Amino acid sequence: MEVNWLIILDFIPQLIKGAQVTVQITVLGLLGGVVLGAIAGLMRAYGNALINAIAFVYIEVIRGTPIVVQVMFLYFALPVLASIRIDPMTTAILAIVINAGAYIAEIVRGAVLSISKGLTEAGLAIGLPRWKVIVHIVGPLAFRRLIPPLGNQFIVSLKDTSLFIVIGVGELTRTGQEIMAANFRAVEIWTAVAIMYLIMTGLLSLALRMVEKRMRIL
């Protein structure tokens, strides 16, 4: 079969719809992942033995298992264990929240602990409660340091959405597969899918570099 690049134009609307689903899963999942990761990271950095252990177990379990296994567990095993049935889209978002949260937790922990203890002690010495020291002194400094690794995690999570093809979520990879199955134009369709992923990750990288540059100036 001869390669015909112009045929891609016929399927651009469908691919864009798939890309929109990919972006939706990524954005919602990372919003939840950042919140969960920040909480777990602070639990690891400042929690007592019990709180630290809870966060540690969560992080190690998630980082030690593939995201595909986590998705399968949420979609197929959770209904059996807890009689909770969730749709594929919700499963995908929840999987990103849980998976990204574990990695973000370690990023947050590392950034927080990298700040000099002298600053924390100085804040406590002038009578500030610990939570104010974390929010007003440690937090802003740690935020600048976590931007690069956090950006990497954002990109990884965006690409991880392609794995949700296993539960039938209509994201970009699934859309590309369905189009290819109908016309067998594997070269053209998968090239178009790859380019769209490159555009999304490129834009995300550019935005993160702008934020990093801005924070460096400040």
Side-chain angles (χ1 to χ4, degrees):
M1 184 181 293
E2 186 178 347
V3 176
N4 180 12
W5 297 110
L6 293 178
I7 199 172
I8 294 174
L9 299 176
D10 297 333
F11 302 106
I12 289 296
Q14 290 173 256
L15 292 173
I16 289 176
K17 287 183 179 178
Q20 289 174 338
V21 175
T22 292
V23 171
Q24 183 182 357
I25 294 170
T26 303
V27 171
L28 294 177
L30 286 176
L31 284 174
V34 167
V35 173
L36 180 60
I39 293 171
L42 292 175
M43 288 170 66
R44 288 278 286 129
Y46 295 110
N48 58 33
L50 177 60
I51 291 176
N52 190 303
I54 292 172
F56 176 80
V57 170
Y58 156 65
I59 292 168
E60 291 304 309
V61 168
I62 298 302
R63 294 203 307 168
T65 54
I67 188 172
V68 172
V69 173
Q70 296 163 19
V71 172
M72 293 294 196
F73 184 89
L74 289 172
Y75 192 67
F76 294 108
L78 195 60
V80 176
L81 294 175
S83 300
I84 299 175
R85 182 72 180 178
I86 50 180
D87 61 88
M89 186 68 173
T90 304
T91 302
I93 294 170
L94 187 58
I96 292 293
V97 171
I98 295 172
N99 185 269
Y103 289 92
I104 292 171
E106 285 299 279
I107 293 171
V108 170
R109 184 181 73 90
V112 167
L113 294 181
S114 71
I115 304 302
S116 172
K117 291 184 178 180
L119 293 173
T120 301
E121 292 170 355
L124 295 173
I126 62 175
L128 290 176
R130 180 171 290 275
W131 71 268
K132 282 192 175 182
V133 172
I134 295 171
V135 172
H136 297 295
I137 299 176
V138 176
L141 295 173
F143 179 72
R144 299 183 190 185
R145 296 187 180 184
L146 63 78
I147 290 175
L150 196 62
N152 291 336
Q153 181 56 46
F154 286 1
I155 291 172
V156 169
S157 293
L158 189 153
K159 293 187 293 183
D160 280 347
T161 59
S162 64
L163 300 173
F164 300 140
I165 190 174
V166 298
I167 57 172
V169 177
E171 41 72 52
L172 181 56
T173 300
R174 173 77 177 189
T175 302
Q177 183 192 47
E178 291 175 348
I179 295 172
M180 193 275 295
N183 57 35
F184 301 101
R185 292 283 184 175
V187 175
E188 298 92 331
I189 298 304
W190 290 122
T191 299
V193 169
I195 290 172
M196 294 189 77
Y197 273 113
L198 284 170
I199 290 172
M200 289 188 290
T201 56
L203 290 173
L204 181 55
S205 296
L206 179 61
L208 289 166
R209 278 198 293 269
M210 291 174 65
V211 172
E212 185 180 354
K213 183 178 179 181
R214 177 61 178 168
M215 294 302 294
R216 189 181 302 123
I217 292 173
L218 288 174

